[in-house]
Amino acid sequence: MAAILTVENIRKAFGATVAVNNVSFSVEAGEIKGLLGPNGAGKTTAIRMIMGILAADQGTIHFDLPGGNGRIPKERIGYLPEERGLYYDAKVIENLLYLAQLKGRSPKETRPEAMQWLERLELGEWANHRLDKLSKGMQQKVQFIAALLHKPDLVMLDEPFSGLDPINQNFFKELIQELREQGVTVLLSAHQMNLVEELCDSLAMIHRGRMVLSGTMRSIKDNYSERMLDIRYTGAADVERVVQQFPGMTLETQREERLLLRYDGPETVKDLVSGIAGWMNISECSVQKPPLHDIFVNTVKQQGGQIDETEMA
Ligand code: ATP
């Protein structure tokens, strides 16, 4: 796989606030890359630098897309900005055709595709309404179409899930997965880590401007040693003895004949499960790496950083 975007050591300060501090990552052709971090981490600032809207104080941004000569080839890129940029007193369809025209597509050629997209996103009847008559969620769908209508190779989606209800969040997830199936590369920013966990192939995770973790989802999970055991049992369970038996094990929750244990240590899954089975009658058991949110929070702490849960809300 080849990198189609390489970001090296980018930095941006606003006065005394260093919004992005030495951030590096690359985006491979055909992948969904998550730029993840809590509110204020620096995601939007990084994306604005990549889009050429803000100048980086330091560092380099290199595109490897046809027609770009290393610089940003605007017609090949789709962008869903965090501050949605549409014309609210113009009709929905006019917005779409105008924005596609800026990317080199003729309105005549684009209109049928724009209508297809609107139908698909259940906005067909709204094509000739002014944009300001639509709800926020509907406007976001229009902005999403605007990012894709000119058939870009690389799409940058800044917080595509914010402001959407859970049904539309799932719908957007499906659309983003479809883009990957079509070979489109996606860079998406999000603060809801668990929401994008199943979507991203690789990640760049940032906190207060700094890189915390990066790599493929698989490598990030593999390199994180802690595991979670989700156990259902029947009858009595001597959890105290279990925790004594395995140093590195802690009890997370226990209720209604179900236990959630965390374990960070050398034992294999087989040895853990057979050991635990000595203290209770196990009926179901699954062993998994913790969710991305926990990996992020713990890694920030291990690196000496401070993080509070309100930041992650
Ligand atoms: P959010 O999702 O909340 O927008 P983010 O990860 O996208 O978070 P940024 O918007 O990039 O974060 O902001 C990073 C930091 O830079 C924050 O502390 C923010 O207040 C600050 N910041 C961003 N833009 C500006 C600006 N134009 N002037 C001053 N400070 C800024």
Side-chain angles (χ1 to χ4, degrees):
M1 283 275 204
I4 61 171
L5 167 64
T6 309
V7 173
E8 274 181 311
N9 294 325
I10 54 167
R11 185 180 198 275
K12 181 79 193 174
F14 298 103
T17 308
V18 184
V20 173
N21 198 349
N22 256 0
V23 165
S24 302
F25 61 87
S26 58
V27 182
E28 310 277 317
E31 73 169 345
I32 300 178
K33 177 108 194 174
L35 179 60
L36 309 185
N39 293 322
K43 305 178 297 292
T44 297
T45 305
I47 290 180
R48 287 190 177 144
M49 285 190 276
I50 295 168
M51 286 300 298
I53 298 165
L54 280 175
D57 299 340
Q58 279 173 27
T60 56
I61 295 163
H62 182 86
F63 288 89
D64 198 352
L65 283 168
N69 286 330
R71 302 173 75 99
I72 185 166
K74 289 233 162 91
E75 331 68 59
R76 295 191 170 265
I77 291 184
Y79 176 39
L80 177 83
E82 190 185 41
E83 306 285 330
R84 313 300 186 212
L86 296 167
Y87 300 91
Y88 290 88
D89 55 354
K91 289 178 185 172
V92 169
I93 187 77
E94 287 168 355
N95 263 284
L96 291 175
L97 299 185
Y98 175 70
L99 291 166
Q101 200 173 9
L102 293 182
K103 303 271 183 176
R105 300 267 164 162
S106 80
K108 197 169 162 220
E109 166 199 19
T110 316
R111 184 179 286 270
E113 289 164 29
M115 285 310 300
Q116 272 174 18
W117 266 112
L118 288 169
E119 296 290 345
R120 169 113 203 260
L121 271 61
E122 296 173 340
L123 291 173
E125 293 162 29
W126 294 86
N128 288 304
H129 286 73
R130 275 169 52 138
L131 190 76
D132 56 11
K133 301 288 178 227
L134 275 63
S135 73
K136 283 265 181 298
M138 290 155 98
Q139 288 173 2
Q140 191 155 344
K141 287 183 178 176
V142 176
Q143 185 90 60
F144 190 78
I145 300 172
L148 298 174
L149 194 51
H150 58 292
K151 301 198 177 85
D153 299 319
L154 169 63
V155 189
M156 285 190 246
L157 307 172
D158 194 357
E159 295 273 6
F161 302 105
S162 67
L164 293 177
D165 59 45
I167 293 171
N168 276 313
Q169 283 181 344
N170 278 333
F171 184 49
F172 266 50
K173 265 175 142 171
E174 284 170 25
L175 289 173
I176 294 169
Q177 265 155 346
E178 257 175 51
L179 290 175
R180 172 173 49 197
E181 280 158 28
Q182 291 160 6
V184 179
T185 309
V186 179
L187 172 64
L188 67 85
S189 85
H191 64 278
Q192 314 95 320
M193 304 200 179
N194 295 348
L195 185 68
V196 299
E197 171 148 10
E198 58 196 280
L199 200 58
C200 296
D201 301 303
S202 76
L203 306 167
M205 298 173 97
I206 55 175
H207 179 239
R208 301 189 187 171
R210 290 180 186 277
M211 294 291 297
V212 174
L213 273 170
S214 69
T216 61
M217 179 72 82
R218 182 72 196 266
S219 69
I220 286 174
K221 291 251 168 173
D222 283 354
N223 289 336
Y224 193 78
S225 56
E226 191 184 61
R227 284 168 278 174
M228 296 185 78
L229 292 94
D230 186 352
I231 295 167
R232 289 176 189 271
Y233 59 90
T234 51
D238 197 340
V239 184
E240 231 168 88
R241 301 295 283 271
V242 170
V243 173
Q244 272 168 15
Q245 185 179 343
F246 296 106
M249 186 170 282
T250 50
L251 171 64
E252 178 100 350
T253 55
Q254 179 178 19
R255 58 172 173 271
E256 293 176 355
E257 299 189 324
R258 183 174 182 185
L259 274 177
L260 200 56
L261 298 162
R262 285 182 186 267
Y263 176 69
D264 195 352
E267 302 284 354
T268 64
V269 171
K270 191 171 163 233
D271 289 343
L272 285 172
V273 175
S274 60
I276 295 168
W279 306 107
M280 70 194 72
N281 184 19
I282 297 177
S283 57
E284 275 176 50
C285 176
S286 77
V287 183
Q288 280 167 349
K289 289 294 169 89
L292 216 46
H293 171 280
D294 298 18
I295 295 178
F296 179 81
V297 170
N298 289 334
T299 308
V300 169
K301 288 180 184 161
Q302 280 162 15
Q303 292 175 354
Q306 305 231 323
I307 192 161
D308 51 68
E309 282 297 323
T310 52
E311 222 176 329
M312 298 297 292

